[in-house]
């Protein structure tokens, strides 16, 4: 939400987060293991841990810290930029 607030405003960020949280396709995941794969920004690890424990195929982010995932053989998570994701869902 923090980045959304920086790019837009607090109201819009809250609307977007609520839309994601309340979407029927959203699955809440509480990680059972903490991998600590991103050394450059340890705060980003919570997203990686949830993705791995939730059996996600990819993470959508433009945050350069997630590029560390490209150098890791396991767990294999594809990194997709926001632009790539939007382009893919527009098909």
């Amino acid at each position: 939400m923090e980045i959304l607030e920086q790019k837009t405003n607090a109201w819009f960020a809250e609307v977007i987060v609520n839309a994601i949280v309340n979407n029927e396709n959203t699955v809440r995941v509480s990680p059972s293991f903490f991998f600590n794969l991103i050394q450059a920004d340890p705060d980003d690890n919570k997203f990686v841990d949830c993705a791995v424990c939730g059996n996600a195929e990819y993470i959508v982010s433009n945050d350069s810290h997630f590029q560390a995932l490209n150098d890791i053989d396991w767990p294999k998570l594809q990194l997709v930029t926001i632009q790539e994701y939007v382009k893919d869902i527009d098909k």
Side-chain angles (χ1 to χ4, degrees):
M1 194 151 115
E2 170 186 341
I3 301 301
L4 282 172
E5 285 183 21
Q6 290 173 5
K7 303 286 182 181
T8 60
N9 59 52
W11 174 83
F12 188 74
E14 186 173 338
V15 168
I16 295 299
V17 169
N18 285 334
I20 293 169
V21 168
N22 294 313
N23 185 294
E24 65 184 30
N25 295 317
T26 298
V27 177
R28 183 172 288 257
V29 175
S30 296
S32 54
F33 191 80
F34 303 99
F35 298 91
N36 295 313
L37 298 175
I38 299 180
Q39 303 300 313
D41 188 356
D43 193 45
D44 289 341
N45 282 309
K46 61 188 169 206
F47 302 110
V48 176
D49 296 340
C50 285
V52 172
C53 292
N55 294 316
E57 294 177 27
Y58 54 87
I59 289 180
V60 179
S61 179
N62 284 2
D63 185 334
S64 62
H65 297 127
F66 286 96
Q67 290 184 7
L69 298 174
N70 294 329
D71 300 327
I72 297 169
D73 292 329
W74 188 95
K76 197 62 184 165
L77 284 171
Q78 182 181 358
L79 179 60
V80 177
T81 66
I82 295 168
Q83 294 80 2
E84 291 168 331
Y85 181 76
V86 169
K87 184 178 175 184
D88 193 46
I89 62 172
D90 277 345
K91 292 182 182 179

